[in-house]
Amino acid sequence: MTSEFAVGDRVRLAAPPPYFKTADPMPMLRPADTLPVGAEGIILSRRPGGYWGIKFDKGSFLVDSQFLESAETPAD
């Protein structure tokens, strides 16, 4: 099974999840309005169950791939 994302890819939040889970050693739940739709981040790791560890400006969160889209920009 191939994945549409890879570690180091830039991604954008396409839809708000019901809540966010921090990517800390002891994860905590955060409300859905913690990050706005359209927030961009960089994938740090692949997690089981279709989750990705992503570094956003407001911190690192675990986000299901169904809420993400590629944020490809020209390399100019």
Side-chain angles (χ1 to χ4, degrees):
M1 178 170 146
T2 60
S3 172
E4 65 178 283
F5 303 119
V7 173
D9 284 356
R10 194 154 188 78
V11 293
R12 179 180 306 118
L13 194 61
Y19 57 86
F20 285 100
K21 186 180 219 180
T22 62
D24 299 326
M26 179 160 288
M28 298 181 72
L29 298 180
R30 297 289 179 217
D33 64 352
T34 301
L35 294 172
V37 171
E40 292 188 8
I42 297 174
I43 295 179
L44 300 176
S45 63
R46 173 80 167 114
R47 303 291 177 98
Y51 285 89
W52 297 93
I54 302 172
K55 173 70 175 148
F56 291 98
D57 289 338
K58 291 189 174 185
S60 296
F61 298 94
L62 300 177
V63 183
D64 192 323
S65 56
Q66 69 180 341
F67 300 110
L68 299 172
E69 65 184 11
S70 180
E72 298 200 14
T73 56
D76 290 23

